[in-house]
């Protein structure tokens, strides 16, 4: 019996190839599917499977390429895991240390779960490309890690139970940081004074709802790109640092619920991009800046529960985009009718209660058709409650108590026909 003929391949020129070349082609053909559909890195998959054993509701299967698992994203080659995003999955318990084996991770989002306990030691030490970390809305505790990746741009630890002092060394490497949100925790000590010198690209800085104390340090003027600056509801004292008024990019300045003293500088008018100025619940004094009207984009002004005096600056009427004006519980005075509210067409809520305003209720205020709530209680207003109130179609709350209005019968007849009004407070008026 003759031996079988060797398998030959022919090109277009019918040239025969050596059998070893044939074997090489066969190997390439067998390998080709593997090269084009490579599974994710075995160490990444093992790390994720170890991670998943701690949580019963992660249905990841070793029989499937981990790049296809829910919440997992891989690089362009479909090989290394670069993203882990599993918010709102009901995860309970501690963060497993196996997470740090995902050395190519660049995006991490475990927010809105029920994770507890401190972060694993050295959690961030192996990440060389990590730019986003969101662990917000969990129950994590302990201090801020001593070492954070220098590649971080977005860091959100808000709404947890983290505590301790923020060490300057923890932030020194974060030169690319854009967002830092550690609000609603239990951090103590002073605000790090060098944060803007180490992270000059910051856009959002939120330290609110913690237990920080001491003065707000100078130095925030170095954050030339800062848009949101929030230190509210801490135990901060001293004066508002004036260098913050040089951050022309600011859109929100929020310092409520502290023990700040002194005046608001006239230089605050430099912040022409400001949309929200919130400083209620402090011990601020002096007059409201005369040139506040230069903040033409202002939508929210909340200075209530302070010690401001003097009159309302006429320039305030230039803030034509104003939607919320709350100045109650101060010592402001003057005739309200001297102010022309007619330009404030977007005004929805105005609260000037518990001050010393006098005169009649301004008719120009009643031309603000977007009003939903008016509080003028506990002032020195007099005269009549005008029937023009009926021309405020969305008004649902009206409090004029503790003044000296006199037309009770007419007022009640008028107001009883208002279709949207649900809350009406007229007590301590209508004497004799």
């Amino acid at each position: 019996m003759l031996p079988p003929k060797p398998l030959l391949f022919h090109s277009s020129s019918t040239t025969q190839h050596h059998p070893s070349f044939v074997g090489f082609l066969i190997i390439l053909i067998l390998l080709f599917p593997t090269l084009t559909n490579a599974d994710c890195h075995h160490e990444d998959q093992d790390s994720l499977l170890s991670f998943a054993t701690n949580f019963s509701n992660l249905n990841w299967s070793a029989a499937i390429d981990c790049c296809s698992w829910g919440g997992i994203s891989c690089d362009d080659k479909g090989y290394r895991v670069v993203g882990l995003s599993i918010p709102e999955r009901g995860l309970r318990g501690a963060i497993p240390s196996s997470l740090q084996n995902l050395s190519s991770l660049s995006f991490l989002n475990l927010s809105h779960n029920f994770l507890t306990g401190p972060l694993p030691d050295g959690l961030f030490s192996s990440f060389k490309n990590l730019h986003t970390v969101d662990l917000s809305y969990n129950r994590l505790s302990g201090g801020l890690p001593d070492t954070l990746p220098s590649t971080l741009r977005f860091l959100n630890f808000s709404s947890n139970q983290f505590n301790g002092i923020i060490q300057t060394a923890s932030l020194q490497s974060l030169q690319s940081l854009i967002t830092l949100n550690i609000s609603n925790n239990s951090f103590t000590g002073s605000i790090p004074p060098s944060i803007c010198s180490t992270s000059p690209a910051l856009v959002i800085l939120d330290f609110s709802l913690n237990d920080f104390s001491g003065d707000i340090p100078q130095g925030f003027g170095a954050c030339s790109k800062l848009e949101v600056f929030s230190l509210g509801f801490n135990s901060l004292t001293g004066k508002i640092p004036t260098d913050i008024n040089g951050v022309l990019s600011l859109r929100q300045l929020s310092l409520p619920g502290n023990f700040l003293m002194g005046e608001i500088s006239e230089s605050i008018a430099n912040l022409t991009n400001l949309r929200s100025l919130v400083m209620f619940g402090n011990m601020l004094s002096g007059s409201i800046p005369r040139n506040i009207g230069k903040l033409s984009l202002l939508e929210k002004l909340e200075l209530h529960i302070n010690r401001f005096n003097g009159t309302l600056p006429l320039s305030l009427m230039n803030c034509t985009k104003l939607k919320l004006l709350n100045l109650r519980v101060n010592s402001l005075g003057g005739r309200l009718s001297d102010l022309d509210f007619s330009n404030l067409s977007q005004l929805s809520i105005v609260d000037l209660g518990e001050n010393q305003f006098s005169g009649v209720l301004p008719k120009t205020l009643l031309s603000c058709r977007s009003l939903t709530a008016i509080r003028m209680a506990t002032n020195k207003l007099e005269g009549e409650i005008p029937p023009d109130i009926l021309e405020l179609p969305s008004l649902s709350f009206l409090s004029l108590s503790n003044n000296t209005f006199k037309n009770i019968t007419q007022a009640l007849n008028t107001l009883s026909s208002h279709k949207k009004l649900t809350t009406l407070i007229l007590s301590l008026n209508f004497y004799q």
Side-chain angles (χ1 to χ4, degrees):
M1 184 173 181
L2 296 175
K5 294 181 179 180
L7 180 64
L8 302 178
F9 283 76
H10 297 271
S11 66
S12 58
S13 61
T14 66
T15 303
Q16 293 183 351
H17 295 276
H18 193 277
S20 62
F21 179 74
V22 175
F24 176 71
L25 286 177
I26 293 173
I27 292 172
L28 280 180
I29 292 170
L30 292 173
L31 285 178
F32 186 74
T34 304
L35 293 175
T36 55
N37 298 294
D39 291 337
C40 69
H41 194 279
H42 66 91
E43 289 184 3
D44 289 350
Q45 179 154 320
D46 291 345
S47 297
L48 288 171
L49 288 172
S50 177
F51 179 91
T53 58
N54 295 268
F55 309 109
S56 59
N57 46 357
L58 289 179
N59 299 317
W60 293 341
S61 171
I64 303 173
D65 176 19
C66 74
C67 292
S68 301
W69 296 349
I72 304 300
S73 54
C74 292
D75 59 16
D76 294 339
K77 298 178 181 178
Y79 185 52
R80 297 307 302 263
V81 173
V82 296
L84 174 58
S85 181
I86 43 177
E88 300 182 79
R89 294 291 294 271
L91 305 181
R92 297 177 182 273
I95 296 178
S97 59
S98 58
L99 182 63
Q100 64 195 66
N101 297 329
L102 301 173
S103 57
S104 296
L105 203 65
S106 61
F107 185 95
L108 175 64
N109 183 356
L110 303 177
S111 65
H112 292 84
N113 283 292
F114 302 95
L115 299 171
T116 56
L119 299 177
D121 290 338
L123 174 62
F124 298 105
S125 60
S126 62
F127 300 130
K128 306 304 180 185
N129 302 306
L130 193 63
H131 60 71
T132 299
V133 175
D134 189 350
L135 302 180
S136 62
Y137 292 93
N138 280 285
R139 300 170 184 173
L140 297 167
S141 58
L144 198 68
D146 293 335
T147 304
L148 291 166
S150 60
T151 52
L152 269 182
R153 300 181 69 198
F154 305 94
L155 178 61
N156 190 348
F157 281 178
S158 65
S159 298
N160 277 284
Q161 298 171 9
F162 289 114
N163 52 54
I165 296 173
I166 305 296
Q167 302 291 343
T168 302
S170 300
L171 306 176
Q172 280 183 340
S173 63
L174 305 180
Q175 298 179 3
S176 302
L177 200 62
I178 294 175
T179 295
L180 177 57
N181 188 347
I182 57 172
S183 64
N184 196 20
N185 281 285
S186 299
F187 288 110
T188 56
S190 58
I191 301 292
S194 60
I195 188 168
C196 283
S197 59
T198 56
S199 305
L202 273 171
V203 174
I204 297 175
L205 180 61
D206 193 344
F207 281 12
S208 61
L209 291 162
N210 278 284
D211 295 317
F212 290 111
S213 57
D215 293 358
I216 302 174
Q218 295 282 344
F220 288 103
C223 283
S224 60
K225 299 180 180 180
L226 196 62
E227 294 183 10
V228 177
F229 184 49
S230 182
L231 302 180
F233 304 104
N234 283 283
S235 298
L236 299 171
T237 55
K239 296 182 178 182
I240 301 168
T242 54
D243 68 333
I244 196 65
N245 296 330
V247 184
L248 304 185
S249 55
L250 263 184
R251 297 166 62 94
Q252 298 179 31
L253 178 56
S254 182
L255 306 174
N258 284 289
F259 301 97
L260 301 175
M261 303 176 68
E263 301 183 359
I264 297 178
S265 170
E266 291 282 343
S267 63
I268 200 170
N270 295 334
L271 304 179
T272 53
N273 285 304
L274 208 60
R275 269 72 168 175
S276 176
L277 179 58
V278 180
M279 296 186 177
F280 66 84
N282 281 287
M283 296 184 288
L284 298 170
S285 58
S287 300
I288 296 174
R290 298 291 95 189
N291 56 359
I292 197 170
K294 292 183 178 180
L295 306 179
S296 59
L297 300 180
L298 201 62
E299 298 176 4
K300 182 189 295 186
L301 179 61
E302 296 186 81
L303 302 179
H304 50 289
I305 315 176
N306 276 290
R307 299 174 180 176
F308 291 112
N309 53 43
T311 60
L312 278 184
L314 296 178
S315 71
L316 183 61
M317 301 301 113
N318 296 329
C319 299
T320 56
K321 297 185 180 298
L322 204 61
K323 297 178 181 178
L324 170 58
L325 175 62
N326 193 342
L327 304 175
R328 71 182 177 89
V329 192
N330 279 289
S331 298
L332 299 166
R335 293 176 59 85
L336 268 186
S337 55
D338 290 343
L339 299 168
D340 184 358
F341 289 87
S342 58
N343 287 334
L344 308 184
S345 60
Q346 299 184 44
L347 193 62
S348 176
I349 297 174
V350 57
D351 191 343
L352 303 180
E354 296 181 67
N355 279 286
Q356 299 175 21
F357 292 114
S358 60
V360 299
L361 198 64
K363 288 192 175 183
T364 56
L365 178 64
L366 304 181
S367 68
C368 302
R369 296 292 188 259
S370 299
L371 278 169
T372 61
I374 300 174
R375 190 205 305 270
M376 297 288 179
T378 314
N379 277 286
K380 299 178 181 179
L381 299 176
E382 57 187 6
E384 299 184 349
I385 299 174
D388 296 0
I389 284 184
L390 290 177
E391 298 180 18
L392 300 177
S394 301
L395 189 69
S396 62
F397 180 96
L398 177 62
S399 175
L400 302 175
S401 62
N402 201 12
N403 284 285
T404 54
F405 293 108
K406 61 183 181 181
N407 60 331
I408 182 170
T409 303
Q410 179 188 356
L412 291 175
N413 287 335
T414 298
L415 295 170
S416 64
S417 62
H418 198 292
K419 296 180 180 180
K420 290 288 185 70
L421 195 63
T422 57
T423 301
L424 175 63
I425 306 174
L426 299 176
S427 55
L428 296 173
N429 273 292
F430 314 113
Y431 297 102
Q432 287 98 43

